[in-house]
């Protein structure tokens, strides 16, 4: 959440590059944006409501110049979406500018004290206190670096900050605590950013700041210190690994549609990653005394998917708990293993759960898409998804590749534990490896069915998304996608739960999407069909996803057909169906698909 970028060049005007940097981070937040540049005379700020691309369209950043500057794209936590609350924030005297990703929990007390000392605030944000604290220290003659460090020590909460100070036009300071920050080194510039995507085009080499560290950058390098002790840190630069090419939308109207069309390639890549790493992960899973799957949002649903498969195949019950709740529920011990799932590898809640396990001496395994992210670096082992950059806020191809990695891990755990016979293991492996071909065959048909279903049910404002077993996680994921982008209410749940209260809501205005497993799922399918009948008996409109026979088809209003060849492979096709249904409904409703309201891709705040 929030993207920050800071840049110092060797006297070159880099205003356009700075704006380019936050445009690349726009998926992290886009309610407002801004830049602050040192132009030799003072600090010039341009900021407004709207994402960086909107402001470029409105020419807000035109005519700005400078060789040192900071920039921000905001996802508001404290203070409404207004021009005044947009970052950067200035001190009273305009000599200090700051941008921030995170939340400060003691900002009210600090602000009250600063106001008593005569400071006047222009915004409602938590962030602004930092600029005023630095200003006070500078006025007392404290050198800039010490003023920045001493001020940050007064703050409680989480942050990635970038700071510029008028008196030091050739440098910039950045600091991190539980929010991501990377430093990049280019031929004529040094850059700090929330995410390597913002600096990859200039910087072949990077340095990842650890929690509790600050950096001072100039055009020719960087110095790192521990914030708490003030001791300097010697950290080697590393080559920037991973695919950071800025993706183009091409002929697709939305990144979401493009990324859904990349399902096959994402699945194929996830199937091909190092099998030895998967074996090591499965060994860890089997050796641990307790295993917890965790994640948030879509990644949480894919964690449920993984826990279901591990239960079925390795006969191990590994509870799945949302990452925001996990540290409060489990007193971690050294024999524990936390399997964290996160596309960005920066999700605050998931990283908090991973760190809690780690600090208790437990093991950590990450299923993560972004190489070099906090999760990829901090977990004992990271299984990289390799899905490539995902720009649309809604996770689509990355969800599929998380499911593939989780399935490979479960399959290997099933093999090693003896939970799966040799024959069954071989069958499942063949089914998994057949996924790219199956997706190529079925994705266009699913897309067509979803487009029709979206048009047909457009009048319905409320939905249940139901499924059982493995398909319960798919129903929950489908409902999340639907809510995120259509802004219509959808409740995803295990179909068995319906009759325990929620069924009272079924009537002709409450739609139900039901995810039906193939016949090979036996009892699971039969029980799903019971739920379908229960909805039908109460007159609720029904949309089924799955391979339905003629008699079942008579009980539903429409079907999004899938192959029905196997429970595992059909599950993947049904995830795809949930994504297209959300997409085409949102499109018919005229929603801002790649930038749904109030959302941001990488949730890096508590
Ligand atoms: N708390 C800051 C604000 O609301 C930054 C928010 C964020 O990092 O998402 O402006």
């Amino acid at each position: 959440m929030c993207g920050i970028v800071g840049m110092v060049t060797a006297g070159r005007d880099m205003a356009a590059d700075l704006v380019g940097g936050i445009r690349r981070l726009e998926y992290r937040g886009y309610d407002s944006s801004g830049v602050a540049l040192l132009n030799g005379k003072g600090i010039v700020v341009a900021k407004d409501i709207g994402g960086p691309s909107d402001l470029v369209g409105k020419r807000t950043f035109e005519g700005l110049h400078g060789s040192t500057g900071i920039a921000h794209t905001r996802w508001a936590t404290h203070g409404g979406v207004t021009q005044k609350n947009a970052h950067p924030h200035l001190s009273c005297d305009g000599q200090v500018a700051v941008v921030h990703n995170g939340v400060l929990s003691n900002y009210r007390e600090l602000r009250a004290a600063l106001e008593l000392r005569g400071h006047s605030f222009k915004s409602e944000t938590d962030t602004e206190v930092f600029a005023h604290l630095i200003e006070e220290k500078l006025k007392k003659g404290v050198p800039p670096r010490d003023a920045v460090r001493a001020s940050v020590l007064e703050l409680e909460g989480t942050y990635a900050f970038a700071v510029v100070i008028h008196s030091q036009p050739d440098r910039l300071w950045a600091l991190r605590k539980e929010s991501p920050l990377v430093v990049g080194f280019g031929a004529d510039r040094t850059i700090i950013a929330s995410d390597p995507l913002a600096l990859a085009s200039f910087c072949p080499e990077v340095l990842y700041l650890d929690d509790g560290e600050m950096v001072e950058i100039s055009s020719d390098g960087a110095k790192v210190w521990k914030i708490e002790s003030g001791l300097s840190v010697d950290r080697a630069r590393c080559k920037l690994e991973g695919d950071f090419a800025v993706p183009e939308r091409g002929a697709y109207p939305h990144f979401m549609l493009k990324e859904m069309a990349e399902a096959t390639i994402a699945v194929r890549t996830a199937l091909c990653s190092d099998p030895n790493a998967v074996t090591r992960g499965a060994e860890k899973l089997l050796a641990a005394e307790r295993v917890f799957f965790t994640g948030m949002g879509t990644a949480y649903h894919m964690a449920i998917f993984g826990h279901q498969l591990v239960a079925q195949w390795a006969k191990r019950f590994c509870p799945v708990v949302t990452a925001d709740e996990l540290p409060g529920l489990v007193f971690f011990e050294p024999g524990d293993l936390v399997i964290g799932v996160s596309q960005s590898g920066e999700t605050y809640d998931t990283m908090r759960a991973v760190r809690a396990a780690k600090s208790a001496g437990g093991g950590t395994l990450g299923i993560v898409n972004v190489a070099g992210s906090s999760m990829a670096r901090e977990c004992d082992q990271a299984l990289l998804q390799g899905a490539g950059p995902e720009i649309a806020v809604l996770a689509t191809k990355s969800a599929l590749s998380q499911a593939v990695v989780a399935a490979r891990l479960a399959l290997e755990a099933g093999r090693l534990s003896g939970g799966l016979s040799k024959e069954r293991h071989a069958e499942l492996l063949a089914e998994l490896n057949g996924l790219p071909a199956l997706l190529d065959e079925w994705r266009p048909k699913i897309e067509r069915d979803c487009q029709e279903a979206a048009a047909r049910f457009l009048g319905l404002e409320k939905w249940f998304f139901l499924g059982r077993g493995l398909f319960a996680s798919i129903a929950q994921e489908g409902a999340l996608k639907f809510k995120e982008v259509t802004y219509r209410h959808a409740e995803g749940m295990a179909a068995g739960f319906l009759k325990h209260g929620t069924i009272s809501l079924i009537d002709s205005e409450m739609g139900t999407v039901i995810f039906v497993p193939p016949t090979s799922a036996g009892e699971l399918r039969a029980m799903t069909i019971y739920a379908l009948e229960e909805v039908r008996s109460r007159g609720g409109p029904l949309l089924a996803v799955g391979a339905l026979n003629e008699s079942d088809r008579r009980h539903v209003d429409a079907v999004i057909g899938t192959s029905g060849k196997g429970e595992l492979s059909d599950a993947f096709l049904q995830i795809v169906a949930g994504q297209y249904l959300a997409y085409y409904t949102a499109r018919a409703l005229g929603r801002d698909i790649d930038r749904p309201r109030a959302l941001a891709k990488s949730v890096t705040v508590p």
Side-chain angles (χ1 to χ4, degrees), residues 1-2 74-78 87 100-103 125-127 605:
M1 255 156 203
C2 284
R74 181 172 188 238
W75 186 87
T77 66
H78 293 64
H87 298 218
H100 172 214
N101 164 211
V103 294
T125 63
D126 49 344
T127 307
V605 292

Side-chain angles (χ1 to χ4, degrees), residues 24 70 131 151 188 216 285 320 352 366 549 554 583:
R24 265 170 245 131
I70 54 179
S151 302
D188 62 350
E216 179 182 275
L285 186 154
V320 52
R352 182 167 158 262
N549 58 32
R554 281 201 289 276
Y583 174 81

Side-chain angles (χ1 to χ4, degrees), residues 121-139:
F121 280 73
K122 292 184 194 67
S123 78
E124 299 153 346
T125 63
D126 49 344
T127 307
E128 194 182 338
V129 289
F130 191 41
H132 295 274
L133 288 171
I134 298 170
E135 174 186 19
E136 275 198 339
K137 297 191 177 46
L138 291 173
K139 287 211 162 124

Side-chain angles (χ1 to χ4, degrees), residues 202-267:
F202 296 106
C203 304
E205 284 191 330
V206 293
L207 178 159
Y208 290 100
L209 277 198
D210 278 347
D211 252 2
E213 290 181 349
M214 66 181 282
V215 65
E216 179 182 275
I217 67 168
S218 55
S219 62
D220 58 358
K223 289 184 201 141
V224 181
W225 292 271
K226 291 275 171 216
I227 296 173
E228 195 73 42
S229 64
L231 294 173
S232 75
V233 177
D234 203 9
R235 171 93 25 82
R237 301 175 185 185
C238 55
K239 239 178 95 219
L240 183 60
E241 308 273 4
D243 176 8
F244 295 107
V246 182
E248 298 288 336
R249 215 166 6 91
Y252 291 93
H254 302 102
F255 273 110
M256 185 178 170
L257 192 63
K258 173 175 184 265
E259 288 162 3
M260 288 191 291
E262 290 167 357
T264 304
I265 181 155
V267 164

